[in-house]
Amino acid sequence: MIPSDWYNIVPDLPAPPPPPLHPATRRPVGPDDLAPLFPVELIGQEVSGERYIPIPQEVLDVYRLWRPTPLIRARRLERALGTPARIYYKYEGGSPAGSHKPNTAVPQAFYNAREGVRLLTTETGAGQWGSALAFACSQFGLECQIWMVRASYDQKPYRRSLMQVYGATVHASPSPVTGAGSKILADDPESPGSLGMAISEAVEVAGATSDARYALGSVLNHVLLHQTVIGEEALAQLPELPDLVIGCTGGGSNFAGLAFPFLREKLAGRIRTVFRAVEPAACPSFTRGAYAYDFGDTAGFTPLLKMHTLGHSFVPDPIHAGGLRYHGMSPLLSHMYELGLFEAVTRAQNECFEAGVLFARTEGIVPAPEPTHALAETIAEALRCKESGEERVILTALCGHGHFDLGAYDRFLAGELQDYTLPQDRIDQALTELPS
């Protein structure tokens, strides 16, 4: 059954998260500062102190196209590993866009359309978010312009095609369409792009157009809020409580969506589950970044966010998990990580694709590159259980399928994928450019 409310974890935390700051005044931003980018309802959700927020009927009507999503026990994977662990996964790949992203794209499009917005702009990495927003805009009669990170734009042409089928206009980022993109191209015509760059371009266009607004697919509180339908459903579907919850993290929406309802239960003393976030070794904001105020974009258009960051000028290597190539992490998750509410680890590209292939050959679903990070950690944990004989219950989020990522699987099967080792001096250099 689809939940009737989204869950807001903020009131249940032992300490409130630090507020976003205005980059000029260094004072907390107010609703007027955010109004050029977001509709009033989403601004209210961003700062809400309410534990539960009702899901509008119009949103539930669209959710019913694919929700509730299945919770599946990975019995064939368990047998292949010879593990006593019991592995469950919540599968979000049955949505129209093939990932968890419509869980927030649909309400964002709904609230914008209700306020009379004509155009939504956004960025996308691998294309899951862009596909989701293009779909959502088609449901509510909105125009949609998307800046897609150049590396993914070239690697994943059919993601671009899907967005265009839904009616969106797609630009490779950095693009000559905006001032921010033009400046980047002037300095580096061969730039592979980054999510920070693409955000700058989308925000620039939204901020300059009176009937346009900006939509973000991860990072912000209201986005994580919408994703909690995943964890609420999983909590009702699981036949036993998990010992460990594992999810991949780029901006944090997938991990938060699965974990927050279970964290509510842990904070209330009802369960003792351990939570583990998995990020790419090539873009390790939790494990190697600084916890500091930084811009959410490359050009410095956004408010300052207190988050784990590699620096807003950091450009990740072009790994195939394009949705995990963001320089920062959700401020809310970053705050919770500082509070010690979950763990974080990294995984390299090749071991993730190895996990994805094993999962496909046992469970039958080809996973997107992003959740293969969670699968790699899940498999490693299951093998640790094999050695110890411990019967742990593991829950993970399979946040999307990899049908548009078969080019990456081709490269892996041909032995052509490279594991990128991120030198510390690249991080150090980017962190020197943090706002003072």
Side-chain angles (χ1 to χ4, degrees), residues 245-310:
V245 171
I246 299 174
C248 65
T249 49
S253 70
N254 160 65
F255 176 71
L258 179 67
F260 280 6
F262 289 92
L263 271 163
R264 174 189 62 216
E265 302 304 303
K266 184 173 183 178
L267 289 167
R270 291 187 285 266
I271 63 174
R272 301 178 64 183
T273 302
V274 173
F275 301 86
R276 188 173 299 155
V278 190
E279 59 186 3
C283 195
S285 52
F286 269 141
T287 53
R288 295 177 65 187
Y291 185 51
Y293 273 104
D294 195 10
F295 291 106
D297 71 313
T298 301
F301 293 152
T302 69
L304 295 174
L305 306 172
K306 187 75 176 288
M307 60 183 177
H308 281 268
T309 178
L310 297 167

Short mmCIF file of all heavy atoms in Angstrom, two decimals, residues 245-310:
data_model
loop_
_atom_site.label_atom_id
_atom_site.label_comp_id
_atom_site.label_asym_id
_atom_site.label_seq_id
_atom_site.Cartn_x
_atom_site.Cartn_y
_atom_site.Cartn_z
N VAL A 245 21.11 -1.87 6.78
CA VAL A 245 20.51 -1.21 5.62
C VAL A 245 21.63 -0.55 4.83
O VAL A 245 22.42 0.23 5.39
CB VAL A 245 19.45 -0.17 6.04
CG1 VAL A 245 19.00 0.65 4.83
CG2 VAL A 245 18.26 -0.85 6.69
N ILE A 246 21.71 -0.86 3.53
CA ILE A 246 22.80 -0.37 2.67
C ILE A 246 22.21 0.37 1.48
O ILE A 246 21.27 -0.11 0.84
CB ILE A 246 23.67 -1.55 2.17
CG1 ILE A 246 24.31 -2.29 3.34
CG2 ILE A 246 24.75 -1.05 1.20
CD1 ILE A 246 25.06 -3.55 2.92
N GLY A 247 22.77 1.54 1.17
CA GLY A 247 22.34 2.28 -0.02
C GLY A 247 23.48 3.07 -0.61
O GLY A 247 24.41 3.48 0.10
N CYS A 248 23.42 3.29 -1.92
CA CYS A 248 24.44 4.12 -2.58
C CYS A 248 24.13 5.60 -2.33
O CYS A 248 22.98 5.98 -2.10
CB CYS A 248 24.50 3.83 -4.08
SG CYS A 248 23.01 4.26 -5.00
N THR A 249 25.16 6.43 -2.38
CA THR A 249 24.98 7.86 -2.15
C THR A 249 25.75 8.68 -3.18
O THR A 249 26.92 8.43 -3.44
CB THR A 249 25.45 8.28 -0.75
OG1 THR A 249 26.75 7.76 -0.49
CG2 THR A 249 24.50 7.81 0.33
N GLY A 250 25.04 9.62 -3.79
CA GLY A 250 25.66 10.63 -4.64
C GLY A 250 25.33 11.98 -4.05
O GLY A 250 26.16 12.67 -3.49
N GLY A 251 24.01 12.34 -4.11
CA GLY A 251 23.51 13.48 -3.37
C GLY A 251 22.79 13.02 -2.11
O GLY A 251 22.67 13.76 -1.16
N GLY A 252 22.28 11.77 -2.14
CA GLY A 252 21.74 11.17 -0.93
C GLY A 252 20.28 10.78 -0.94
O GLY A 252 19.78 10.20 0.03
N SER A 253 19.53 11.05 -2.03
CA SER A 253 18.09 10.85 -1.98
C SER A 253 17.69 9.38 -1.90
O SER A 253 16.73 9.02 -1.20
CB SER A 253 17.41 11.51 -3.18
OG SER A 253 17.70 10.83 -4.39
N ASN A 254 18.38 8.52 -2.60
CA ASN A 254 18.06 7.09 -2.61
C ASN A 254 18.31 6.47 -1.24
O ASN A 254 17.45 5.78 -0.67
CB ASN A 254 18.88 6.40 -3.70
CG ASN A 254 19.00 4.90 -3.50
OD1 ASN A 254 18.03 4.18 -3.55
ND2 ASN A 254 20.22 4.44 -3.25
N PHE A 255 19.48 6.73 -0.68
CA PHE A 255 19.82 6.20 0.64
C PHE A 255 18.85 6.73 1.71
O PHE A 255 18.33 5.97 2.53
CB PHE A 255 21.26 6.58 1.00
CG PHE A 255 21.68 6.18 2.38
CD1 PHE A 255 21.89 4.85 2.70
CD2 PHE A 255 21.88 7.13 3.37
CE1 PHE A 255 22.28 4.47 3.98
CE2 PHE A 255 22.28 6.77 4.65
CZ PHE A 255 22.48 5.43 4.96
N ALA A 256 18.59 8.05 1.67
CA ALA A 256 17.69 8.64 2.66
C ALA A 256 16.29 8.07 2.53
O ALA A 256 15.62 7.80 3.54
CB ALA A 256 17.66 10.16 2.49
N GLY A 257 15.82 7.90 1.29
CA GLY A 257 14.47 7.40 1.09
C GLY A 257 14.24 6.04 1.70
O GLY A 257 13.18 5.77 2.28
N LEU A 258 15.24 5.17 1.60
CA LEU A 258 15.12 3.85 2.21
C LEU A 258 15.37 3.91 3.71
O LEU A 258 14.65 3.30 4.51
CB LEU A 258 16.12 2.89 1.57
CG LEU A 258 16.12 1.45 2.13
CD1 LEU A 258 14.82 0.75 1.81
CD2 LEU A 258 17.31 0.66 1.60
N ALA A 259 16.38 4.68 4.13
CA ALA A 259 16.87 4.60 5.51
C ALA A 259 16.05 5.39 6.51
O ALA A 259 15.90 4.95 7.67
CB ALA A 259 18.33 5.07 5.56
N PHE A 260 15.50 6.55 6.15
CA PHE A 260 14.92 7.43 7.15
C PHE A 260 13.79 6.79 7.97
O PHE A 260 13.78 6.93 9.20
CB PHE A 260 14.44 8.73 6.50
CG PHE A 260 15.53 9.74 6.24
CD1 PHE A 260 16.87 9.43 6.46
CD2 PHE A 260 15.22 11.00 5.75
CE1 PHE A 260 17.89 10.34 6.22
CE2 PHE A 260 16.22 11.93 5.52
CZ PHE A 260 17.56 11.62 5.74
N PRO A 261 12.83 6.09 7.35
CA PRO A 261 11.81 5.47 8.19
C PRO A 261 12.37 4.43 9.17
O PRO A 261 11.87 4.30 10.30
CB PRO A 261 10.86 4.84 7.17
CG PRO A 261 10.98 5.72 5.98
CD PRO A 261 12.45 6.03 5.91
N PHE A 262 13.42 3.71 8.76
CA PHE A 262 14.05 2.76 9.68
C PHE A 262 14.85 3.50 10.76
O PHE A 262 14.88 3.06 11.92
CB PHE A 262 14.95 1.80 8.90
CG PHE A 262 14.19 0.81 8.06
CD1 PHE A 262 13.88 1.09 6.74
CD2 PHE A 262 13.76 -0.40 8.59
CE1 PHE A 262 13.16 0.19 5.95
CE2 PHE A 262 13.04 -1.32 7.83
CZ PHE A 262 12.74 -1.01 6.51
N LEU A 263 15.48 4.62 10.38
CA LEU A 263 16.19 5.42 11.38
C LEU A 263 15.23 5.99 12.41
O LEU A 263 15.57 6.12 13.59
CB LEU A 263 16.95 6.55 10.68
CG LEU A 263 18.37 6.22 10.24
CD1 LEU A 263 18.87 7.22 9.21
CD2 LEU A 263 19.31 6.18 11.44
N ARG A 264 14.01 6.33 11.98
CA ARG A 264 12.99 6.78 12.94
C ARG A 264 12.77 5.72 14.01
O ARG A 264 12.71 6.02 15.21
CB ARG A 264 11.68 7.05 12.20
CG ARG A 264 10.50 7.38 13.11
CD ARG A 264 9.20 7.42 12.32
NE ARG A 264 8.89 6.13 11.73
CZ ARG A 264 8.31 5.96 10.53
NH1 ARG A 264 7.98 7.01 9.80
NH2 ARG A 264 8.08 4.75 10.08
N GLU A 265 12.67 4.46 13.55
CA GLU A 265 12.45 3.36 14.49
C GLU A 265 13.65 3.17 15.42
O GLU A 265 13.50 2.88 16.60
CB GLU A 265 12.15 2.07 13.73
CG GLU A 265 10.94 2.15 12.81
CD GLU A 265 9.68 2.57 13.55
OE1 GLU A 265 9.32 1.87 14.51
OE2 GLU A 265 9.08 3.60 13.17
N LYS A 266 14.86 3.37 14.88
CA LYS A 266 16.05 3.22 15.72
C LYS A 266 16.15 4.37 16.73
O LYS A 266 16.48 4.15 17.91
CB LYS A 266 17.30 3.18 14.85
CG LYS A 266 18.58 2.93 15.66
CD LYS A 266 19.79 2.71 14.79
CE LYS A 266 21.02 2.39 15.63
NZ LYS A 266 22.21 2.12 14.80
N LEU A 267 15.88 5.58 16.29
CA LEU A 267 15.94 6.72 17.19
C LEU A 267 14.92 6.60 18.31
O LEU A 267 15.12 7.12 19.42
CB LEU A 267 15.72 8.02 16.41
CG LEU A 267 16.88 8.44 15.48
CD1 LEU A 267 16.43 9.54 14.53
CD2 LEU A 267 18.09 8.88 16.29
N ALA A 268 13.82 5.91 18.05
CA ALA A 268 12.79 5.68 19.06
C ALA A 268 13.10 4.47 19.94
O ALA A 268 12.33 4.15 20.86
CB ALA A 268 11.43 5.50 18.39
N GLY A 269 14.22 3.78 19.65
CA GLY A 269 14.62 2.64 20.47
C GLY A 269 13.93 1.35 20.15
O GLY A 269 14.00 0.39 20.93
N ARG A 270 13.28 1.29 18.98
CA ARG A 270 12.51 0.09 18.64
C ARG A 270 13.31 -0.94 17.84
O ARG A 270 12.91 -2.11 17.76
CB ARG A 270 11.23 0.48 17.88
CG ARG A 270 10.23 1.22 18.76
CD ARG A 270 8.91 1.45 18.04
NE ARG A 270 8.99 2.51 17.05
CZ ARG A 270 8.66 3.78 17.28
NH1 ARG A 270 8.26 4.15 18.50
NH2 ARG A 270 8.74 4.69 16.33
N ILE A 271 14.39 -0.52 17.18
CA ILE A 271 15.24 -1.45 16.43
C ILE A 271 16.70 -1.08 16.67
O ILE A 271 17.00 0.01 17.19
CB ILE A 271 14.93 -1.44 14.90
CG1 ILE A 271 15.23 -0.05 14.29
CG2 ILE A 271 13.50 -1.85 14.63
CD1 ILE A 271 15.09 -0.02 12.79
N ARG A 272 17.62 -1.96 16.26
CA ARG A 272 19.06 -1.73 16.47
C ARG A 272 19.82 -1.81 15.15
O ARG A 272 21.01 -2.13 15.11
CB ARG A 272 19.60 -2.76 17.46
CG ARG A 272 18.91 -2.72 18.82
CD ARG A 272 19.45 -3.77 19.76
NE ARG A 272 20.86 -3.54 20.07
CZ ARG A 272 21.59 -4.36 20.83
NH1 ARG A 272 21.04 -5.47 21.34
NH2 ARG A 272 22.86 -4.08 21.07
N THR A 273 19.17 -1.49 14.06
CA THR A 273 19.73 -1.61 12.72
C THR A 273 20.95 -0.70 12.54
O THR A 273 20.99 0.42 13.06
CB THR A 273 18.65 -1.25 11.68
OG1 THR A 273 17.53 -2.12 11.87
CG2 THR A 273 19.18 -1.38 10.27
N VAL A 274 21.93 -1.20 11.76
CA VAL A 274 23.09 -0.41 11.33
C VAL A 274 22.82 0.09 9.91
O VAL A 274 22.26 -0.64 9.08
CB VAL A 274 24.37 -1.26 11.37
CG1 VAL A 274 25.56 -0.49 10.78
CG2 VAL A 274 24.67 -1.69 12.82
N PHE A 275 23.24 1.31 9.61
CA PHE A 275 23.01 1.93 8.31
C PHE A 275 24.36 2.26 7.67
O PHE A 275 25.26 2.78 8.33
CB PHE A 275 22.17 3.20 8.46
CG PHE A 275 20.83 2.94 9.09
CD1 PHE A 275 20.70 2.92 10.47
CD2 PHE A 275 19.71 2.69 8.31
CE1 PHE A 275 19.47 2.65 11.07
CE2 PHE A 275 18.48 2.44 8.89
CZ PHE A 275 18.37 2.42 10.27
N ARG A 276 24.47 1.95 6.37
CA ARG A 276 25.76 2.14 5.68
C ARG A 276 25.55 2.76 4.30
O ARG A 276 24.84 2.21 3.47
CB ARG A 276 26.48 0.79 5.55
CG ARG A 276 27.91 0.89 5.04
CD ARG A 276 28.59 -0.48 5.13
NE ARG A 276 28.64 -0.95 6.51
CZ ARG A 276 28.72 -2.24 6.86
NH1 ARG A 276 28.75 -3.17 5.92
NH2 ARG A 276 28.76 -2.58 8.13
N ALA A 277 26.17 3.90 4.09
CA ALA A 277 26.15 4.58 2.79
C ALA A 277 27.39 4.18 1.99
O ALA A 277 28.48 4.05 2.55
CB ALA A 277 26.12 6.09 2.99
N VAL A 278 27.20 3.99 0.68
CA VAL A 278 28.30 3.56 -0.19
C VAL A 278 28.46 4.58 -1.31
O VAL A 278 27.51 4.87 -2.03
CB VAL A 278 28.05 2.16 -0.79
CG1 VAL A 278 29.31 1.64 -1.47
CG2 VAL A 278 27.58 1.18 0.29
N GLU A 279 29.67 5.11 -1.45
CA GLU A 279 29.93 6.11 -2.48
C GLU A 279 31.08 5.66 -3.37
O GLU A 279 31.85 4.77 -3.00
CB GLU A 279 30.25 7.46 -1.84
CG GLU A 279 31.44 7.46 -0.90
CD GLU A 279 31.62 8.78 -0.18
OE1 GLU A 279 30.78 9.69 -0.35
OE2 GLU A 279 32.62 8.93 0.54
N PRO A 280 31.21 6.24 -4.57
CA PRO A 280 32.31 5.83 -5.47
C PRO A 280 33.66 6.31 -4.97
O PRO A 280 33.77 7.42 -4.44
CB PRO A 280 31.93 6.49 -6.80
CG PRO A 280 31.05 7.63 -6.44
CD PRO A 280 30.32 7.23 -5.20
N ALA A 281 34.67 5.48 -5.15
CA ALA A 281 36.01 5.87 -4.74
C ALA A 281 36.50 7.09 -5.50
O ALA A 281 37.36 7.83 -5.01
CB ALA A 281 36.97 4.69 -4.97
N ALA A 282 35.93 7.34 -6.69
CA ALA A 282 36.35 8.49 -7.50
C ALA A 282 35.69 9.79 -7.08
O ALA A 282 36.10 10.86 -7.53
CB ALA A 282 36.05 8.22 -8.98
N CYS A 283 34.67 9.71 -6.21
CA CYS A 283 33.97 10.93 -5.78
C CYS A 283 33.51 10.75 -4.32
O CYS A 283 32.31 10.73 -4.04
CB CYS A 283 32.79 11.21 -6.71
SG CYS A 283 32.12 12.88 -6.55
N PRO A 284 34.47 10.67 -3.38
CA PRO A 284 34.17 10.26 -2.01
C PRO A 284 33.91 11.43 -1.06
O PRO A 284 34.73 11.74 -0.18
CB PRO A 284 35.44 9.50 -1.62
CG PRO A 284 36.53 10.25 -2.35
CD PRO A 284 35.91 10.76 -3.63
N SER A 285 32.77 12.08 -1.19
CA SER A 285 32.53 13.28 -0.39
C SER A 285 32.38 12.98 1.10
O SER A 285 32.84 13.74 1.95
CB SER A 285 31.31 14.04 -0.91
OG SER A 285 30.20 13.19 -1.03
N PHE A 286 31.71 11.88 1.46
CA PHE A 286 31.60 11.51 2.87
C PHE A 286 32.95 11.17 3.47
O PHE A 286 33.33 11.66 4.53
CB PHE A 286 30.68 10.29 3.03
CG PHE A 286 29.23 10.61 3.26
CD1 PHE A 286 28.25 9.84 2.66
CD2 PHE A 286 28.83 11.65 4.08
CE1 PHE A 286 26.90 10.11 2.86
CE2 PHE A 286 27.49 11.93 4.30
CZ PHE A 286 26.52 11.16 3.67
N THR A 287 33.67 10.27 2.80
CA THR A 287 34.85 9.66 3.42
C THR A 287 36.12 10.48 3.26
O THR A 287 37.05 10.30 4.05
CB THR A 287 35.07 8.25 2.83
OG1 THR A 287 35.10 8.34 1.40
CG2 THR A 287 33.94 7.31 3.23
N ARG A 288 36.17 11.39 2.27
CA ARG A 288 37.39 12.17 2.10
C ARG A 288 37.14 13.67 1.96
O ARG A 288 38.08 14.45 1.85
CB ARG A 288 38.17 11.65 0.87
CG ARG A 288 38.68 10.23 1.04
CD ARG A 288 39.38 9.72 -0.21
NE ARG A 288 40.59 10.44 -0.51
CZ ARG A 288 41.32 10.27 -1.62
NH1 ARG A 288 40.90 9.39 -2.54
NH2 ARG A 288 42.41 10.96 -1.82
N GLY A 289 35.89 14.07 1.95
CA GLY A 289 35.57 15.48 1.82
C GLY A 289 35.63 16.21 3.15
O GLY A 289 35.80 15.61 4.21
N ALA A 290 35.49 17.53 3.11
CA ALA A 290 35.44 18.37 4.31
C ALA A 290 33.99 18.65 4.66
O ALA A 290 33.14 18.76 3.78
CB ALA A 290 36.18 19.67 4.06
N TYR A 291 33.70 18.77 5.95
CA TYR A 291 32.37 19.18 6.39
C TYR A 291 32.42 20.70 6.56
O TYR A 291 32.97 21.21 7.54
CB TYR A 291 31.98 18.48 7.68
CG TYR A 291 30.57 18.78 8.14
CD1 TYR A 291 29.48 18.64 7.28
CD2 TYR A 291 30.31 19.19 9.45
CE1 TYR A 291 28.18 18.91 7.70
CE2 TYR A 291 29.02 19.45 9.87
CZ TYR A 291 27.96 19.32 8.99
OH TYR A 291 26.67 19.59 9.41
N ALA A 292 31.87 21.40 5.59
CA ALA A 292 32.04 22.85 5.54
C ALA A 292 30.93 23.49 4.72
O ALA A 292 30.24 22.81 3.95
CB ALA A 292 33.40 23.20 4.92
N TYR A 293 30.75 24.78 4.88
CA TYR A 293 29.83 25.51 4.01
C TYR A 293 30.44 25.64 2.63
O TYR A 293 31.61 26.03 2.48
CB TYR A 293 29.53 26.90 4.59
CG TYR A 293 28.37 26.90 5.57
CD1 TYR A 293 28.60 26.98 6.94
CD2 TYR A 293 27.05 26.81 5.12
CE1 TYR A 293 27.54 26.98 7.84
CE2 TYR A 293 25.99 26.81 6.02
CZ TYR A 293 26.23 26.89 7.37
OH TYR A 293 25.17 26.89 8.24
N ASP A 294 29.64 25.32 1.62
CA ASP A 294 30.11 25.39 0.24
C ASP A 294 28.92 25.65 -0.68
O ASP A 294 27.76 25.46 -0.30
CB ASP A 294 30.80 24.07 -0.16
CG ASP A 294 31.63 24.18 -1.44
OD1 ASP A 294 31.84 25.32 -1.92
OD2 ASP A 294 32.06 23.13 -1.95
N PHE A 295 29.23 26.09 -1.89
CA PHE A 295 28.19 26.26 -2.90
C PHE A 295 27.73 24.90 -3.40
O PHE A 295 28.52 23.97 -3.54
CB PHE A 295 28.71 27.09 -4.07
CG PHE A 295 28.97 28.53 -3.74
CD1 PHE A 295 30.27 29.00 -3.61
CD2 PHE A 295 27.93 29.42 -3.56
CE1 PHE A 295 30.53 30.32 -3.30
CE2 PHE A 295 28.16 30.75 -3.26
CZ PHE A 295 29.47 31.20 -3.12
N GLY A 296 26.45 24.81 -3.75
CA GLY A 296 25.93 23.59 -4.34
C GLY A 296 26.23 23.48 -5.82
O GLY A 296 26.00 22.43 -6.42
N ASP A 297 26.73 24.56 -6.42
CA ASP A 297 27.03 24.57 -7.84
C ASP A 297 28.42 25.14 -8.08
O ASP A 297 29.06 25.67 -7.16
CB ASP A 297 25.98 25.39 -8.61
CG ASP A 297 26.13 26.88 -8.33
OD1 ASP A 297 26.26 27.26 -7.15
OD2 ASP A 297 26.14 27.68 -9.29
N THR A 298 28.90 25.03 -9.31
CA THR A 298 30.25 25.45 -9.64
C THR A 298 30.40 26.96 -9.70
O THR A 298 31.40 27.53 -9.25
CB THR A 298 30.68 24.82 -10.98
OG1 THR A 298 30.63 23.40 -10.86
CG2 THR A 298 32.10 25.23 -11.35
N ALA A 299 29.41 27.65 -10.27
CA ALA A 299 29.52 29.09 -10.48
C ALA A 299 29.23 29.91 -9.23
O ALA A 299 29.51 31.11 -9.20
CB ALA A 299 28.57 29.52 -11.60
N GLY A 300 28.67 29.30 -8.19
CA GLY A 300 28.40 30.03 -6.97
C GLY A 300 27.08 30.77 -6.97
O GLY A 300 26.95 31.82 -6.33
N PHE A 301 26.06 30.22 -7.66
CA PHE A 301 24.74 30.84 -7.70
C PHE A 301 23.86 30.44 -6.50
O PHE A 301 22.93 31.15 -6.15
CB PHE A 301 24.00 30.45 -8.98
CG PHE A 301 24.60 31.01 -10.24
CD1 PHE A 301 24.47 30.34 -11.45
CD2 PHE A 301 25.30 32.21 -10.24
CE1 PHE A 301 25.00 30.85 -12.63
CE2 PHE A 301 25.84 32.73 -11.40
CZ PHE A 301 25.70 32.05 -12.60
N THR A 302 24.14 29.29 -5.91
CA THR A 302 23.25 28.74 -4.88
C THR A 302 23.59 29.32 -3.50
O THR A 302 24.67 29.89 -3.29
CB THR A 302 23.38 27.22 -4.81
OG1 THR A 302 24.69 26.88 -4.28
CG2 THR A 302 23.20 26.58 -6.17
N PRO A 303 22.70 29.14 -2.52
CA PRO A 303 23.07 29.42 -1.13
C PRO A 303 24.23 28.54 -0.69
O PRO A 303 24.53 27.52 -1.31
CB PRO A 303 21.80 29.10 -0.34
CG PRO A 303 20.69 29.20 -1.33
CD PRO A 303 21.28 28.76 -2.65
N LEU A 304 24.87 28.94 0.42
CA LEU A 304 25.93 28.12 1.00
C LEU A 304 25.29 27.03 1.84
O LEU A 304 24.44 27.29 2.68
CB LEU A 304 26.85 28.99 1.86
CG LEU A 304 27.64 30.06 1.11
CD1 LEU A 304 28.40 30.94 2.10
CD2 LEU A 304 28.60 29.43 0.11
N LEU A 305 25.73 25.80 1.62
CA LEU A 305 25.17 24.64 2.29
C LEU A 305 26.24 23.99 3.16
O LEU A 305 27.36 23.75 2.70
CB LEU A 305 24.66 23.62 1.26
CG LEU A 305 23.67 24.14 0.22
CD1 LEU A 305 23.40 23.07 -0.83
CD2 LEU A 305 22.37 24.59 0.88
N LYS A 306 25.92 23.69 4.41
CA LYS A 306 26.86 22.97 5.29
C LYS A 306 26.76 21.50 4.94
O LYS A 306 25.76 20.83 5.23
CB LYS A 306 26.49 23.21 6.75
CG LYS A 306 27.51 22.64 7.76
CD LYS A 306 28.77 23.48 7.82
CE LYS A 306 29.76 22.99 8.87
NZ LYS A 306 29.31 23.25 10.26
N MET A 307 27.82 20.98 4.31
CA MET A 307 27.75 19.61 3.80
C MET A 307 29.14 19.02 3.70
O MET A 307 30.15 19.72 3.77
CB MET A 307 27.07 19.58 2.43
CG MET A 307 27.78 20.38 1.37
SD MET A 307 26.86 20.37 -0.22
CE MET A 307 27.88 21.47 -1.21
N HIS A 308 29.19 17.72 3.53
CA HIS A 308 30.45 17.07 3.17
C HIS A 308 30.70 17.37 1.70
O HIS A 308 29.88 17.06 0.83
CB HIS A 308 30.37 15.57 3.43
CG HIS A 308 30.54 15.23 4.88
ND1 HIS A 308 31.75 14.93 5.44
CD2 HIS A 308 29.64 15.19 5.89
CE1 HIS A 308 31.60 14.71 6.74
NE2 HIS A 308 30.32 14.87 7.03
N THR A 309 31.85 17.98 1.41
CA THR A 309 32.11 18.45 0.06
C THR A 309 33.56 18.21 -0.33
O THR A 309 34.46 18.24 0.52
CB THR A 309 31.77 19.95 -0.06
OG1 THR A 309 32.08 20.41 -1.39
CG2 THR A 309 32.56 20.79 0.95
N LEU A 310 33.76 17.98 -1.61
CA LEU A 310 35.10 17.91 -2.19
C LEU A 310 35.49 19.26 -2.79
O LEU A 310 36.55 19.38 -3.39
CB LEU A 310 35.15 16.82 -3.27
CG LEU A 310 34.89 15.40 -2.77
CD1 LEU A 310 34.64 14.44 -3.92
CD2 LEU A 310 36.05 14.91 -1.91
#
